[in-house]
């Protein structure tokens, strides 16, 4: 992560299943927390596995809650994505579904570099630390590009 960026990990583990009737009564506390974390961030980085050629149910569920008015926190939010799978393709299919969903939310999506981390079992140690130098460099390059993208979205640097 470039020194100008601080990483805060937002948990979606406690978010209940989306239900329009419940939504009309007001956002449940874990949803309020998640929406506020997205709203306060300069940019959102989504790291995802691939489930059955697409995005996971829990991620879609969190996005569905975040997509409801008022004050949609993803609107005009810089977003970067990367995917990690134990298979060789590294989530080649999930990313395009995720991009389509995030386009509907009016996010400002970083296009390049695209990062697909495949064969994950050989790239992380038992504690989950990323040990593959080449992959670390790819991710570093993406974070540098994301930092610049955030500044561009804020109008702080010229295109
Ligand atoms: C229900 C389910 C469906 C999956 N479908 C895919 C898939 O379509 N493509 C793929 O590359 N990996 C698939 N995987 C593997 C995951 O992307 C991931 O590599 C695996 O769950 C290991 O990650 P974890 O340690 O975070 O669980 C699937 C895993 C699960 C549990």
């Amino acid at each position: 992560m470039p020194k100008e960026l601080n990483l805060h990990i937002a948990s979606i583990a406690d978010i209940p299943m989306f239900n329009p009737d419940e939504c009309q009564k007001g956002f449940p506390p874990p949803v309020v927390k998640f929406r506020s974390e997205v709203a306060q961030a300069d940019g959102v980085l989504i790291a995802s596995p691939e489930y059955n050629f697409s995005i996971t149910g829990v991620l879609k569920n969190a996005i569905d809650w975040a997509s409801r008015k008022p004050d949609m926190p993803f609107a005009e939010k810089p977003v970067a994505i990367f995917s990690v799978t134990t298979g060789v393709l590294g989530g080649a299919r999930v990313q395009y579904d995720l991009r389509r969903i995030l386009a509907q939310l009016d996010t400002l999506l970083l296009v390049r570099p695209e990062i697909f981390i495949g064969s994950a079992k050989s790239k992380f140690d038992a504690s989950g630390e990323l040990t593959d130098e080449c992959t670390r460099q790819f991710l570093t390059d993406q974070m540098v590009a994301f930092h610049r993208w955030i500044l561009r979205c804020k109008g702080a640097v010229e295109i």
Side-chain angles (χ1 to χ4, degrees):
M1 196 59 80
K3 62 179 181 339
E4 296 86 352
L5 295 181
N6 292 316
L7 181 68
H8 165 79
I9 297 179
S11 173
I12 56 174
D14 296 328
I15 295 182
M17 287 291 285
F18 180 77
N19 176 330
D21 298 331
E22 293 301 318
C23 188
Q24 275 193 345
K25 293 181 202 160
F27 298 124
V31 174
V32 172
K33 182 166 181 288
F34 176 62
R35 289 173 61 102
S36 149
E37 287 170 318
V38 172
Q40 283 172 32
D42 290 317
V44 176
L45 173 64
I46 300 178
S48 178
E50 176 175 282
Y51 277 11
N52 296 309
F53 292 7
S54 189
I55 84 168
T56 65
V58 285
L59 177 58
K60 180 65 163 53
N61 185 55
I63 290 173
D64 288 344
W65 276 111
S67 71
R68 297 293 86 193
K69 291 177 181 166
D71 303 324
M72 219 276 278
F74 272 109
E76 297 187 24
K77 182 70 64 182
V79 176
I81 60 180
F82 70 87
S83 54
V84 190
T85 69
T86 45
V88 288
L89 293 183
R93 294 156 294 218
V94 60
Q95 288 206 19
Y96 296 103
D97 280 359
L98 191 48
R99 284 179 188 275
R100 190 159 45 90
I101 293 162
L102 292 169
Q104 146 66 8
L105 269 66
D106 267 343
T107 61
L108 303 174
L109 262 173
L110 178 73
V111 177
R112 289 189 188 82
E114 296 180 300
I115 309 290
F116 306 91
I117 305 174
S119 306
K121 276 188 180 155
S122 66
K123 293 174 182 160
F124 294 82
D125 66 18
S127 66
E129 188 77 13
L130 177 59
T131 51
D132 184 76
E133 268 316 310
C134 186
T135 306
R136 292 182 75 90
Q137 189 57 54
F138 278 132
L139 281 174
T140 301
D141 292 347
Q142 192 192 40
M143 292 308 99
V144 170
F146 191 38
H147 179 227
R148 186 172 161 72
W149 179 239
I150 290 168
L151 294 177
R152 273 177 66 178
C153 293
K154 287 181 169 184
V157 296
E158 288 186 9
I159 296 170

